[in-house]
Amino acid sequence: MNPFTFTQARDLDGVLAALNAGEARPIAGGTNLLDLMKEGVMRPAQLVDINGLDLDRIDASEDGGLLLGALARNADTAYHPLVRERYPLLSSAILAGASPQLRNMASNGGNLMQRTRCVYFYDIGTPCNKREPGTGCPARDGVNRQHAILGTSETCIATHPSDMCVALRALDATVHVQSSSGKREIPFADFHRLPEDRPEIDNTLQPGELITHIGVPQADRFIDHSAYIKVRDRLSYAFALVSVAAALDLEGGAIKAARIALGGVAHKPWRVEAAEQTLVGEAPGEAAFMRAADAILQGARGYGHNDFKLALAKNAIVQALTTAARGTAAAGGQQAHRGDRA
Amino acid sequence: MELHQQYPVRLRINGQDREFNVESWVTLLDLLRERAGMTGTKKGCDQGQCGACTVLVDGKRINSCLTLAVMQDGKEVTTVEGLAQGEDLHPLQQAFIECDAFQCGYCTPGQLCSAVGLMNEGQARSRDDVRELMSGNICRCGAYPQIADAVVHVMDLRKNASGDKPAFTTGAVLA
């Protein structure tokens, strides 16, 4: 690791002042940041440890939703009684990510800020537009089995690695941020961005802003019919090739509302609201699910090694919707997850 | 020079209070191995991918390679050296012996600490859960079935000791 100075934050104002000064980077769990620093991909001159801030609670909000503290750990969030009861989709998405050790450390805010695991991004011996703008993208014609099929650009075909964020996108979460000039809420859809010609910028967080909470609106109508399906190269503890967060609101044998978000296919969690609309009023079934999948995957293209993701994504969407229609597994979490591979 | 500043770190390691002065970039893993003399914790991938460096911090299992020592100031750390009570092995250590769950030994300290953390967390209800919740510990020797046997065995023992019926059977063949 490159040398850096370290300070422990005592209060939010102190952190925001340090972030304003420009050099400092906040650290919470550190599970991705320290890894990137060891590899020389990121070289912050100053770290501010924000773990002392009072941002680790998970509270019910007045409108029936939840407010997840940015410093609550992924494991504590996934196993929290309110999350398990009201948001089984979020619980199982979190538990599909990383390992128990990492989930015990990784914070919710940090999960949103984690960076792509593109091998070229990680290898400082290769060019990468995301790491060093203007140097090129070897992934386009290189080893791109893990890479994006949607929303790519000439400059970058990296994917966002999070599972949690896929569920948060499906659930219409908001990201609460604060800077010394005030607070604002960013809809989840607008938080992560597509690479376009600035792939080095992962999200719309502005300099000096810190994530304080994640707001999840009430989603009771989806409790009984949701599923997180993650397809990966091994049974557990691997990033998604394709993942799908699906939720259905069923009434009288017809779909009243649907949510479908994909992971592993784009620079951000991918969701197409118009595709969900095609399911409204339909009876749940393979034909309707295939049509919705086609609508979501419109414009998808492969880059060689990842061509298989087009068919895989379609099948995963149909499987996730079929599983959701059958009913959320009672136990939630990893049980729900495993129920689908049995 | 400011960048090579030393930071005071107080830790309670395996029941003993210890004090260190470390540079900002020293990981908890490197502090344990290089400064605290606790070489039971192994440095495998050093990237959070293998689990060999797993220790318990305030009872929770974490990858000690992916946290800075300064960030753990004031915490209680348990390494594999802290699992036994004197000459009495931790029940999991005993079960690892009985189930032949030891292989080359490089992954074992992390496996043991991870298994203790798994039991502290209380989320495993079945052998499948144990396998899933031990997935952060990679063993290239392929000792997974025996490791799962050992963990499941100890969990059953605890349930029996508290008078509850085991929620599942072990499949472990124990003498």
Side-chain angles (χ1 to χ4, degrees):
Chain A
M1 269 187 270
N2 272 38
F4 57 89
T5 59
F6 177 88
T7 48
Q8 216 127 27
R10 291 202 178 79
D11 53 43
L12 187 56
D13 288 343
V15 176
L16 297 177
L19 295 184
N20 264 341
E23 293 270 272
R25 247 201 119 78
I27 185 165
T31 53
N32 187 213
L33 179 55
L34 290 174
D35 191 26
L36 289 164
M37 288 168 66
K38 285 182 183 185
E39 294 295 317
V41 178
M42 293 177 76
R43 301 166 179 224
Q46 187 191 349
L47 289 186
V48 186
D49 181 350
I50 60 171
N51 287 299
L53 303 183
D54 182 25
L55 293 173
D56 62 351
R57 291 216 312 273
I58 292 172
D59 295 311
S61 52
E62 282 174 14
D63 56 3
L66 275 191
L67 207 52
L68 313 174
L71 289 175
R73 304 295 142 168
N74 285 178
D76 294 332
T77 307
Y79 292 129
H80 194 281
L82 286 174
V83 177
R84 293 192 107 162
E85 272 167 40
R86 299 187 192 174
Y87 305 92
L89 180 63
L90 177 60
S91 183
S92 51
I94 295 172
L95 292 176
S99 68
Q101 288 96 318
L102 291 166
R103 294 194 296 264
N104 279 344
M105 281 201 286
S107 68
N108 290 338
N111 193 302
L112 272 55
M113 297 300 290
Q114 67 176 310
R115 309 206 69 191
T116 186
R117 297 323 196 272
C118 170
V119 290
Y120 300 102
F121 173 73
Y122 250 83
D123 179 358
I124 60 168
T126 65
C128 169
N129 287 327
K130 195 172 197 39
R131 179 168 27 77
E132 286 179 61
T135 55
C137 175
R140 288 181 63 93
D141 300 312
V143 180
N144 50 38
R145 178 176 163 74
Q146 293 282 343
H147 289 72
I149 54 171
L150 286 158
T152 57
S153 76
E154 285 299 310
T155 61
C156 182
I157 60 169
T159 55
H160 193 262
S162 170
D163 290 291
M164 181 185 186
C165 290
V166 181
L168 289 172
R169 177 70 181 93
L171 291 165
D172 272 336
T174 53
V175 186
H176 298 228
V177 306
Q178 195 163 344
S179 70
S180 22
S181 54
K183 299 179 180 182
R184 71 179 178 120
E185 291 182 23
I186 309 170
F188 215 81
D190 301 331
F191 185 78
H192 296 105
R193 59 182 294 286
L194 292 179
E196 298 165 354
D197 58 354
R198 297 296 304 277
E200 73 276 16
I201 307 172
D202 292 343
N203 55 58
T204 55
L205 202 67
Q206 297 301 305
E209 284 183 330
L210 183 78
I211 301 171
T212 57
H213 300 87
I214 300 159
V216 194
Q218 205 243 66
D220 288 357
R221 60 188 173 146
F222 295 120
I223 289 177
D224 294 334
H225 295 282
S226 71
Y228 189 73
I229 300 284
K230 182 174 180 180
V231 186
R232 45 189 156 180
D233 281 331
R234 61 185 183 200
L235 202 54
S236 178
Y237 193 19
F239 290 98
L241 291 166
V242 171
S243 69
V244 185
L248 295 170
D249 177 9
L250 295 178
E251 198 179 79
I255 298 167
K256 229 175 126 187
R259 300 278 178 81
I260 310 159
L262 308 189
V265 298
H267 208 249
K268 59 187 287 185
W270 193 262
R271 183 175 161 198
V272 179
E273 275 88 339
E276 297 166 3
Q277 284 301 318
T278 68
L279 290 171
V280 175
E282 299 284 322
E286 194 171 306
F289 296 159
M290 298 261 267
R291 278 197 304 276
D294 285 335
I296 294 168
L297 296 170
Q298 224 166 45
R301 61 160 290 197
Y303 289 84
H305 297 289
N306 68 347
D307 290 347
F308 72 99
K309 280 195 181 185
L310 281 92
L312 185 67
K314 185 169 174 174
N315 291 339
I317 292 167
V318 173
Q319 195 197 338
L321 287 165
T322 306
T323 307
R326 223 183 285 140
T328 310
Q334 72 257 16
Q335 269 84 8
H337 196 65
R338 188 159 33 244
D340 285 298
R341 56 173 204 242
Chain B
M1 183 188 162
E2 192 190 11
L3 281 178
H4 290 82
Q5 187 185 334
Q6 302 254 318
Y7 298 80
V9 178
R10 284 167 300 119
L11 294 170
R12 190 168 176 84
I13 304 174
N14 299 329
Q16 287 207 312
D17 291 318
R18 306 279 301 265
E19 290 185 18
F20 307 90
N21 283 304
V22 299
E23 294 81 10
S24 59
W25 55 84
V26 173
T27 61
L28 176 61
L29 171 62
D30 287 342
L31 178 144
L32 290 170
R33 289 184 56 82
E34 309 295 335
R35 321 238 176 161
M38 297 290 173
T39 52
T41 307
K42 297 294 184 274
K43 184 185 261 196
C45 67
D46 206 27
Q47 290 191 299
Q49 293 178 9
C50 75
C53 70
T54 302
V55 299
L56 303 165
V57 172
D58 290 346
K60 283 189 174 179
R61 51 181 164 159
I62 66 166
N63 301 103
S64 60
C65 73
L66 286 186
T67 190
L68 298 172
V70 281
M71 293 174 68
Q72 303 302 332
D73 185 32
K75 301 281 177 63
E76 190 162 76
V77 180
T78 304
T79 69
V80 70
E81 290 95 336
L83 295 183
Q85 299 293 317
E87 293 299 303
D88 295 330
L89 293 180
H90 187 283
L92 268 168
Q93 291 173 308
Q94 191 61 43
F96 265 57
I97 294 171
E98 291 174 17
C99 296
D100 193 20
F102 290 112
Q103 297 267 340
C104 85
Y106 214 84
C107 76
T108 302
Q111 298 274 7
L112 285 166
C113 288
S114 189
V116 173
L118 180 153
M119 294 201 300
N120 290 349
E121 287 156 17
Q123 299 295 340
R125 302 279 178 273
S126 66
R127 185 190 173 88
D128 268 357
D129 288 348
V130 169
R131 288 172 56 86
E132 168 68 26
L133 295 172
M134 288 296 289
S135 67
N137 296 77
I138 309 294
C139 166
R140 69 191 298 176
C141 308
Y144 298 139
Q146 299 96 301
I147 291 168
D149 285 346
V151 178
V152 163
H153 173 63
V154 174
M155 293 179 69
D156 268 0
L157 281 184
R158 297 210 161 170
K159 285 196 172 73
N160 287 333
S162 68
D164 293 331
K165 269 178 77 175
F168 52 92
T169 51
T170 67
V173 183
L174 294 162

